Structure formats: structure tokens, C-alpha cells
Amino acid sequence: MTGIKKFRLKRSYFSFPYAVLSVLFVILPLLITAFYAFTRDGSFSFANFVKFFTTPNTLKVLLYSLGIAALVTVICLLLAYPLAMMLADSKINRSAVTVMLFIMPMWINSLLRTYAMKNVFQLIGMTNAYAAVIIGLVYDFFPFMLLPLYSVLSNMDKSYMEAANDLGCGAVQSFFKVRLPLSLPGIMSGVLMVFMPTVSTFAISDILGDTSTYMFGNIINDWFTASGGSGWNIGSAYSLILLALIGITMFIANKATGGKASAAGAAQAGGGLL
Amino acid sequence: MSKVKKALCKAFIYLMLALIYLPILVLVVYSFTTSKSIGVWNGFTLSLYADVFTDAEMMGAVGNSLIVALVSSLLATLIGTLAAVGIFYTRSKWYKTLLNLTSQVTMVNADIVTGVSFMMLFLVFGLIPKGYLTLIISHTMITVPYVIMNVMPRLSQLNPNLYEAGLDLGASPVRTFFTVLLPQLVPAMISGFALAFTLSLDDFVITKFVNGDVSTISTYLYNKIAKKGVMPQLRALSALIFIAILAVLVAVNIFSHRKRVKEGGRK
């Protein structure tokens, strides 16, 4: 027995299945995407990225998507912040059920909610594609903005606000100097949960809009579904560009909050609600 | 706070609630009439519901969604819990960072990028035909990080001495894992499972790229709605799904509330 170290199961070994699966199904797919993005007809090429920067329509759609996403994020924030404040205020709302009712749509299939919205538009006779897509997106992503805001505001120590008032801050001043900065991680989590998913969506814009309301996700989807030839290569390059944008927004959000914001935060809070 | 202000706040809360539930309500109301377009009332009938239950394609999609969600979330709970334990107790810093990074990447990546990269993986190697297997693999992989995220905080709250005590008293590491560690993780595993299950049911984008000819609720709805055709039966199907989810959520919340009251915990 000497010299041979007896195999002893350590707890750290439990993660091996996930480690192996991660290599196969997280890292490998991304490498394949990168491979397609940097090749054309089997040989190394930047043609797919060149295509992106030389196709005015694609650039236009990306800018349009970023604009729509910014608008949707701001509308969600402006609606969700006061609501979260009121829900977190025990003088106004004491019922956990009310909070649950607001969060519940998160658990309902988003296509179903989009379909419901489409029916409402039909009922009220709204035909403007832009408005339909924006309202539909706000409707879909609203709970993802509300949840992180509610969780940060309801956990906030009330004495900070009281101290601000005692020290002579008015309502407006204590909001901007105390409450808002303290809730920044929640705001950033919400923004992350709404902004990039909006840019990369394609189902909602498909169902509620028309070709004039194409989002960047629609373009990627088209390259992979409609066209043969080098569709995969171009689509992969666009996917990497989207991935880079996600990386940039994550980086900015992390810098702004000192690493406290996470896209996963809201989902986690949602899981905790069950 | 003045009474007027309080009333205004309450009004805002109820207005928002009404707006959120209005579309769902419209769908439910019009699921009881057969008219092609919403806004026209053809008289009360349950025939749309009867159609739903006799439509093999629709029922098949519902069945597929449930099968895929159940299998993948069970797998995700198993793999994710083991992974969380492994990541938590490993001494290797780079290994920990690497696994944390891959699970982060999975969570923040855009669905469409995940979807197309899975599709290419499955097609490039051609080993795995698109269908149930690819759906289960991809749904498991995208939900494992959420299970890890639920289990990890629980691990850091545990008393490390309990595990050591198990070993000292002569139990093997495997036995100690199952009798000491695992039971303490069950609540976190259940919420991880619930999250994985709903994420799987909710997914459309990734499903669309790997489903082959297996249709789920999401792909079925998308194909029917995107074709711009009108299919009144969808209203009944949607209403049924809304009500099922509502019932489950209310039941879960009542259950956990009772449990909390029983334990004498916080209200």
C-alpha cells in the first residue's frame, strides 16, 4: 500500500459532471460560433465582420434596436421605480400577495403574454407597429425590472431616510441623495435584465410588429433560418458582436455599482419567491 | 403621509395591476366565444375548450413541453447541486473561477446566441439528431446555473462541523453526503428545481433552434401566431395555461406560508 495514495472521494469531485458538460455544451458551442464567424468557405476570413460594417441596413437595425431597448428600459424603470417604492412602503402596502401578483407574470410563458397583448391591440384597434412592439416589450419585461427594484428597496434600512430627513433633507433631496444611490444595484440589475434581452429579441417583434420593427435578434435569426450559403458564418459573426455588446453593458453595470449588479440577481429573487 | 397621497399611491398600485392582468382577462373572456376576432361576441360556448382537448397537435405540444421541462429540470437539479457542492468545497482557485465563469456566461448570454451555437454544435458533429435529446441537453445546460445559484448560498450557511462529525463517526464521504449534507440542501434544491422547470417551460428561442420536429407550447404558439392566421382555439389553450400556472403559484405560496407559520417564523 505504501506509495499508492488511496483514492478518497472528496466533495470537490462532485462538480466534475458539470465541468465536463460545460466544456462540451458551453465552451465548445461558443468555439464553434467563433470558428464560423472567422471563416468563409472553409478558410480564415474577416469577411463576415466586414459585411456587418458595410451593410447599412444591419447597422441601422442594430442602432434602432439599441434605441428601442433604451426606450423600453427607461419606460420600465419610470413605471417600476415608484411602484416598487410604494410596494416596499409598509404604510401603503402590507400585503405580500399584491407583490406576488405583480411578479407572477414572470412565470407565464412570454409568448403567451405577447399573444394576449396582440389580442388587446386587436380589441382596441391599434395598428401602429412601433407602438405595439414597444408596449409589448414593456409588458413582457416589466416584472424583471420591478423585482430587483422591489427587493433592494424593501431591504433598505429605513433609518437612512429618517436620518436624511432629520438632518434637514427635503423629500426630493433625500430621494436623490440617499434612496436613489442606495438602490443603484437594483436599478442596474433591472437594466441588465431588460436592456440586452430587448436588443436580442425577435419573437416579440415578429408577433406584434412587421419588418419595419426588426430587432437585431431578427437579423441573426434570419441568417440562420432563411438563407443557405454563408448564412451561418455571417450569423455567427453577428452573434459575437451581440455577445461583445452584452459584455460591454455588463462591464459598465458592474463598474457603476462596484460589482453588486448582476443579471442573475432578479432571477434569483424570483426563485426565492417560490 | 397624508390620506390623499396614500389613496393616490394605492390607486396607482391597483391601476398597474389592472393593466398587467387586463390582456390575460380579455383572453380568458373571449375564450368562451367562437368568434374569429376579439371584440365580436358570438354567444357563450365551451366549444373552444372541447377543441383544445381533442386537438392532438396542441395536446402533443403541451405534453412535450411538460416532458422536456420535467426531465431537464430534474437533471439540472442533480447536476447543479453536485456542481455547487464541488465548487464550494474545491481548493483550486482557477477551477472555481472557471466553473463560475461558464455558469455566468450561460446566464448572461443572449438566448439567440445560445440557441444558434447549440444548433451548430448538434449539426456540425451530426452525432445528435435534433429532437427530445437535444432539447433536454440544451434546457438542462441553460438551467444548471440557476440551480447552482440557489444552492450555493445555502452551502455557505451550513455548519461545516456536521460533515466532519459524520466522517469522524465513521461514515464514508458518500454516506455523509447523502445523510448529512444533502438533507440540508433540499429546500434550496426545490426552489432551484422550480426555477429550472419554469425557465424550461418559458423558453422559446433556444427551443426553436434545437427542437427538430418536436413541438413545444412555445414553438406551437409561435408557428400559429406568426402565420398571422386566426385560431380562436389558442385563446382557450392560453386561458388554461394561465389558470394552471396561477393555481400552482397560489398553492405553492399558501404551502410555504403555512410552513412558515407552523415553524413560528416571521410572518
Side-chain angles (χ1 to χ4, degrees):
Chain A
M1 286 298 271
T2 49
I4 301 166
K5 202 175 160 196
K6 195 171 159 251
F7 175 79
R8 191 161 169 268
L9 185 73
K10 280 197 268 174
R11 278 176 292 186
S12 58
Y13 298 164
F14 286 137
S15 58
F16 285 176
Y18 181 59
V20 173
L21 290 171
S22 292
V23 172
L24 285 177
F25 297 113
V26 180
I27 297 170
L28 190 57
L30 287 176
L31 288 178
I32 292 175
T33 311
F35 173 80
Y36 273 100
F38 287 104
T39 55
R40 184 66 81 79
D41 303 322
S43 53
F44 181 80
S45 157
F46 283 113
N48 310 308
F49 292 94
V50 171
K51 169 117 185 141
F52 172 79
F53 290 104
T54 52
T55 316
N57 190 46
T58 308
L59 279 170
K60 217 177 82 193
V61 171
L62 180 61
L63 286 178
Y64 164 83
S65 305
L66 291 171
I68 293 282
L71 185 61
V72 167
T73 311
V74 168
I75 296 174
C76 279
L77 184 63
L78 290 180
L79 287 173
Y81 202 95
L83 183 64
M85 249 169 75
M86 291 169 199
L87 288 173
D89 187 338
S90 58
K91 275 182 254 160
I92 299 169
N93 173 56
R94 278 164 198 260
S95 151
V97 177
T98 317
V99 180
M100 200 194 89
L101 282 174
F102 274 109
I103 304 304
M104 211 151 66
M106 229 164 127
W107 303 103
I108 299 173
N109 189 303
S110 75
L111 283 187
L112 269 186
R113 282 184 286 142
T114 310
Y115 173 61
M117 212 56 189
K118 193 185 169 79
N119 279 298
V120 171
F121 292 152
Q122 199 188 351
L123 185 67
I124 60 176
M126 201 182 72
T127 49
N128 186 320
Y130 292 101
V133 169
I134 290 168
I135 296 172
L137 285 165
V138 169
Y139 182 63
D140 241 52
F141 287 110
F142 184 73
F144 295 95
M145 179 63 89
L146 181 67
L147 189 53
L149 287 177
Y150 173 74
S151 96
V152 75
L153 287 171
S154 61
N155 288 324
M156 193 181 287
D157 195 339
K158 260 202 262 165
S159 47
Y160 287 119
M161 291 297 286
E162 284 161 11
N165 290 332
D166 288 349
L167 293 170
C169 271
V172 176
Q173 213 178 1
S174 62
F175 175 81
F176 282 106
K177 294 216 154 164
V178 180
R179 198 194 293 267
L180 199 63
L182 281 175
S183 58
L184 201 61
I187 295 176
M188 282 300 166
S189 292
V191 169
L192 284 177
M193 298 283 294
V194 177
F195 184 72
M196 281 320 287
T198 308
V199 174
S200 57
T201 186
F202 70 90
I204 299 171
S205 42
D206 249 13
I207 292 170
L208 295 176
D210 49 37
T211 45
S212 67
T213 56
Y214 250 35
M215 301 293 279
F216 196 55
N218 291 90
I219 299 244
I220 297 180
N221 180 44
D222 280 358
W223 281 116
F224 278 97
T225 46
S227 44
S230 43
W232 280 20
N233 306 83
I234 297 166
S236 295
Y238 292 8
S239 299
L240 288 190
I241 291 167
L242 186 59
L243 211 53
L245 284 173
I246 294 172
I248 293 168
T249 43
M250 292 287 297
F251 180 77
I252 295 171
N254 267 315
K255 272 273 168 289
T257 58
K260 277 191 205 131
S262 74
Q268 184 175 25
L273 238 124
L274 262 176
Chain B
M1 187 178 298
S2 73
K3 272 209 171 117
V4 180
K5 206 173 150 198
K6 202 170 152 182
L8 280 176
C9 287
K10 286 215 158 172
F12 180 67
I13 291 178
Y14 290 124
L15 177 71
M16 291 298 286
L17 259 190
L19 285 176
I20 286 174
Y21 284 93
L22 181 79
I24 298 175
L25 193 71
V26 168
L27 215 56
V28 173
V29 168
Y30 280 94
S31 69
F32 293 109
T33 191
T34 53
S35 71
K36 282 247 177 243
S37 62
I38 291 257
V40 181
W41 186 262
N42 276 355
F44 179 88
T45 168
L46 289 174
S47 74
L48 290 182
Y49 286 90
D51 290 348
V52 166
F53 286 105
T54 50
D55 186 326
E57 202 190 346
M58 232 185 244
M59 285 289 107
V62 173
N64 288 337
S65 279
L66 291 175
I67 291 169
V68 170
L70 190 67
V71 175
S72 64
S73 50
L74 281 174
L75 282 174
T77 310
L78 178 75
I79 297 165
T81 307
L82 291 176
V85 172
I87 294 169
F88 188 78
Y89 290 107
T90 187
R91 294 218 183 95
S92 161
K93 213 164 185 187
W94 68 266
Y95 181 69
K96 192 177 252 185
T97 314
L98 191 75
L99 283 190
N100 278 332
L101 195 72
T102 55
S103 72
Q104 286 281 333
V105 165
T106 309
M107 286 192 284
V108 302
N109 201 352
D111 280 354
I112 188 158
V113 178
T114 312
V116 299
S117 67
F118 271 133
M119 179 189 80
M120 289 191 285
L121 174 82
F122 295 140
L123 285 178
V124 162
F125 290 100
L127 297 171
I128 316 173
K130 285 204 256 177
Y132 287 106
L133 188 59
T134 51
L135 275 175
I136 287 169
I137 292 174
S138 44
H139 282 209
T140 304
M141 287 314 291
I142 56 165
T143 50
V144 165
Y146 294 92
V147 176
I148 297 179
M149 205 173 64
N150 267 284
V151 174
M152 202 67 103
R154 180 80 190 120
L155 280 167
S156 55
Q157 294 163 6
L158 295 184
N159 180 351
N161 296 330
L162 288 174
Y163 186 82
E164 303 292 331
L167 293 181
D168 286 348
L169 292 169
S172 67
V174 175
R175 201 183 148 142
T176 321
F177 175 76
F178 280 108
T179 53
V180 178
L181 199 57
L182 203 60
Q184 303 182 78
L185 298 178
V186 168
M189 286 166 72
I190 291 175
S191 58
F193 170 81
L195 190 55
F197 190 82
T198 43
L199 283 170
S200 168
L201 276 186
D202 193 43
D203 178 68
F204 160 68
V205 178
I206 295 162
T207 304
K208 174 189 178 283
F209 286 104
V210 300
N211 70 337
D213 50 14
V214 177
S215 85
T216 66
I217 296 174
S218 294
T219 58
Y220 178 83
L221 276 173
Y222 181 76
N223 288 333
K224 294 291 173 200
I225 305 167
K227 272 182 197 147
K228 314 275 177 200
V230 189
M231 194 179 167
Q233 284 81 3
L234 288 184
R235 300 199 291 262
L237 177 71
S238 311
L240 285 172
I241 296 175
F242 285 138
I243 288 158
I245 291 174
L246 228 112
V248 169
L249 283 171
V250 169
V252 168
N253 273 279
I254 290 174
F255 174 75
S256 61
H257 180 74
R258 279 225 185 112
K259 214 170 129 203
R260 250 178 269 156
V261 172
K262 227 184 187 173
E263 285 165 357
R266 66 198 173 88
K267 206 179 76 179

